[in-house]
Amino acid sequence: MRIDKLLANMGYGSRKDVKILLKQGVVRIDDELVKDAKRQVNLETERVTVQGEVVEYRPFVYLMMNKPSGVVSATEDKVESTVIELIDPSYAHYELFPVGRLDKDTTGLLLLTNDGAFNHALMSPRKHVDKVYIAEVDGEMTVDDVRRFAEGVELEDGYTTKPARLEVLSRDGRRSTIRLTLSEGKYHQVKRMVAAVGKHVEQLERVQIGPLELDRALAPGEYRELTDSEVDQLIT
Ligand code: URA
């Protein structure tokens, strides 16, 4: 890859900014001072530094966000604020996108990446990666609802859901807190399943995807990079 393209990809500015950097004589490939923007570089065999700092080329980035309510899980939207607007501009060149969608009013675990294969591994219906939600429900979720969710419930459009694990964490006759584990991700699925048994989701949070739990150190709107082992666990 050309050195100017590489540095632009790595967030050192536009190609024009990078040309200026090169002219300033602060870019080296191994011990050679490089000013030619067209110089080819291979990061597997050559070491690039900018002002002495080593450039680590990473094609892919994986972030975990604690999605706040009120933003949409999209890369752009004409009207609403998006989760991408919460990410520091230094990530802009990676062109991140959300892995699946949470509703605007749903909070919790959202992954963002620029790795299409990672997205596919987690979202493809054939991969059956469990997603776990905690919901506050208006109404009393019953033992019968647990059975119905385990068997699959028919939604209002005639679709019958795959078996899902419902745990009633607490209830007081009028409201319930539930934990629901789904192996599929139909549109508004949690809300529609709860509606199918005659109740209403008031608050919804995703807390887990496959083996990965939401990092509770993240306040709503905050994010962090996944560790290598977290990425490995998700795709194996
Ligand atoms: N189910 C829903 O109803 N909404 C979400 O955001 C995610 C799952």
Side-chain angles (χ1 to χ4, degrees):
M1 184 184 294
R2 278 171 56 145
I3 185 74
D4 58 345
K5 179 157 190 227
L6 174 94
L7 292 177
N9 282 352
M10 295 300 299
Y12 284 90
S14 63
R15 290 252 192 136
K16 216 168 144 197
D17 297 333
V18 167
K19 250 197 184 124
I20 295 169
L21 263 186
L22 287 160
K23 274 214 179 106
Q24 286 170 346
V26 293
V27 179
R28 284 177 186 272
I29 298 178
D30 295 327
D31 289 330
E32 172 197 344
L33 190 69
V34 176
K35 295 197 170 184
D36 177 6
K38 294 198 209 84
R39 165 76 151 83
Q40 291 289 326
V41 58
N42 176 357
L43 275 187
E44 280 170 29
T45 53
E46 293 173 307
R47 201 173 100 116
V48 177
T49 57
V50 176
Q51 271 156 346
E53 179 188 296
V54 179
V55 175
E56 309 253 19
Y57 183 64
R58 299 190 295 166
F60 298 127
V61 166
Y62 309 90
L63 301 181
M64 164 197 295
M65 175 184 282
N66 183 358
K67 179 191 170 295
S69 181
V71 295
V72 295
S73 312
T75 48
E76 47 187 34
D77 193 288
K78 288 207 173 76
V79 183
E80 310 284 357
S81 302
T82 72
V83 289
I84 298 296
E85 290 164 32
L86 298 171
I87 309 285
D88 192 272
S90 61
Y91 284 99
H93 61 287
Y94 286 112
E95 300 183 341
L96 298 173
F97 56 85
V99 176
R101 281 172 186 251
L102 291 177
D103 297 338
K104 184 178 163 191
D105 60 355
T106 301
T107 60
L109 178 56
L110 181 71
L111 299 174
L112 298 117
T113 189
N114 56 346
D115 180 349
F118 178 82
N119 180 57
H120 182 74
L122 294 177
M123 287 300 132
S124 163
R126 279 197 258 142
K127 307 275 178 171
H128 303 296
V129 177
D130 284 351
K131 321 271 179 343
V132 184
Y133 297 87
I134 303 275
E136 294 296 323
V137 174
D138 181 14
E140 181 159 5
M141 297 295 284
T142 63
V143 174
D144 194 45
D145 296 333
V146 173
R147 181 189 56 76
R148 289 180 66 189
F149 279 22
E151 286 172 357
V153 282
E154 189 175 328
L155 302 181
E156 80 298 343
D157 60 0
Y159 176 75
T160 300
T161 58
K162 297 221 159 56
R165 178 178 154 87
L166 170 64
E167 297 155 83
V168 181
L169 301 180
S170 68
R171 59 183 169 185
D172 66 6
R174 284 184 304 127
R175 296 169 58 80
S176 319
T177 303
I178 61 167
R179 183 182 162 93
L180 182 59
T181 305
L182 302 182
S183 63
E184 55 183 344
K186 301 284 174 208
Y187 182 64
H188 291 334
Q189 184 161 349
V190 176
K191 292 172 184 169
R192 290 162 71 211
M193 287 178 75
V194 170
V197 295
K199 280 139 257 192
H200 177 71
V201 169
E202 291 192 326
Q203 262 185 49
L204 184 59
E205 180 184 41
R206 182 158 64 194
V207 294
Q208 194 170 334
I209 297 176
L212 183 72
E213 290 182 34
L214 173 65
D215 183 341
R216 292 286 174 189
L218 297 172
E222 288 185 344
Y223 59 90
R224 68 160 170 82
E225 293 200 15
L226 295 184
T227 63
D228 291 346
S229 95
E230 285 172 334
V231 174
D232 288 347
Q233 277 176 36
L234 281 168
I235 55 181
T236 48

